[in-house]
Amino acid sequence: MSWSKLKQQLEGFLSPSLKGKVEYRAQGYRYLADKPGICYIMVDNKNVLNMSDKASFIRWYQTELEIKNDPDIQIPVTHDEIEAVRKASKGTVPEDRLIVIARSRKSSELAKELLSAQASLSKSNFVVVANQFLSTSIEESIESKDIVLNVLALVDRRMGKKRIVNMSEQMKLKHPIVQYFYELRRNTL
């Protein structure tokens, strides 16, 4: 599918409150037909999501420690996760430390997922992911580990107000760019 048709379809699914605010852009090279051009998403004429640029508007993480020590990332811990730590330690760990250990384990897992998602994002081809988005359901796109699919689903008009409001806990565990687009969409409700 050509870029102009793809862009037209993506903009057709864009939420009415974000029309004119969110734009899909592509920079192609006429004589390099075998290589994909650079695609990016702009919000209020600012390049917010560029697949190949790690110094974009949204913060990109470089190490697991940086993610674990970021105070903006809040990691909720369930009762089951605390119980798993209690069983693993055979009850020898004080109660207040169980939460700290469970949060640390979960943050390590999430940091690894975040870094792998970021690495795949820098290698991804926006056109391929956008075509995949057009052929999958909103539920699959929002549950996906792919950052671009998450972003496209969040700005989609098929995401209702109630669903957006009820996703706040789920969004805390997503990449900062996904959180940015979630807040953008939530602020337009």
Side-chain angles (χ1 to χ4, degrees):
M1 179 183 310
S2 69
W3 169 249
S4 59
K5 280 194 176 220
L6 179 64
K7 180 180 176 182
Q8 185 178 15
Q9 283 190 333
L10 289 174
E11 288 175 347
F13 281 114
L14 198 59
S15 169
S17 60
L18 296 175
K19 286 193 182 208
K21 190 174 183 80
V22 175
E23 295 179 64
Y24 303 106
R25 296 275 179 100
Q27 176 182 347
Y29 297 99
R30 182 176 171 185
Y31 299 106
L32 296 175
D34 60 331
K35 300 195 186 238
I38 299 169
C39 297
Y40 50 96
I41 299 175
M42 294 183 70
V43 176
D44 294 329
N45 294 324
K46 290 180 187 168
N47 183 352
V48 175
L49 179 61
N50 183 349
M51 269 42 93
S52 63
D53 184 16
K54 289 192 175 191
S56 69
F57 180 63
I58 300 300
R59 183 170 181 199
W60 291 91
Y61 293 102
Q62 301 298 322
T63 66
E64 183 179 338
L65 270 178
E66 186 179 352
I67 296 169
K68 286 176 74 173
N69 295 329
D70 189 344
D72 293 334
I73 298 177
Q74 298 173 5
I75 300 173
V77 181
T78 64
H79 181 69
D80 295 335
E81 292 165 341
I82 295 170
E83 285 301 314
V85 172
R86 181 177 286 126
K87 286 180 184 176
S89 66
K90 298 177 182 157
T92 59
V93 177
E95 195 69 29
D96 58 333
R97 293 294 301 161
L98 289 174
I99 296 171
V100 173
I101 294 169
R103 186 168 286 128
S104 177
R105 286 182 181 176
K106 193 170 182 181
S107 66
S108 290
E109 291 171 18
L110 292 171
K112 289 174 185 163
E113 285 180 20
L114 192 62
L115 289 172
S116 69
Q118 233 168 243
S120 67
L121 176 65
S122 64
K123 296 175 189 169
S124 79
N125 184 348
F126 181 81
V127 175
V128 172
V129 176
N131 280 316
Q132 180 185 353
F133 169 74
L134 292 173
S135 64
T136 59
S137 69
I138 287 291
E139 289 79 18
E140 289 177 44
S141 296
I142 204 69
E143 295 294 327
S144 172
K145 301 264 187 220
D146 192 305
I147 296 170
V148 177
L149 280 177
N150 292 171
V151 168
L152 292 173
L154 284 171
V155 299
D156 195 293
R157 66 178 173 188
R158 296 172 289 176
M159 287 288 288
K161 294 176 185 177
K162 188 174 183 180
R163 182 188 272 175
I164 292 285
V165 171
N166 292 335
M167 295 176 72
S168 62
E169 285 299 313
Q170 182 184 0
M171 287 298 127
K172 288 181 181 177
L173 304 177
K174 297 282 188 178
H175 189 275
I177 188 72
V178 178
Q179 292 175 7
Y180 172 81
F181 277 96
Y182 173 71
E183 289 300 322
L184 178 73
R185 179 68 190 272
R186 211 169 99 188
N187 291 336
T188 61
L189 298 179

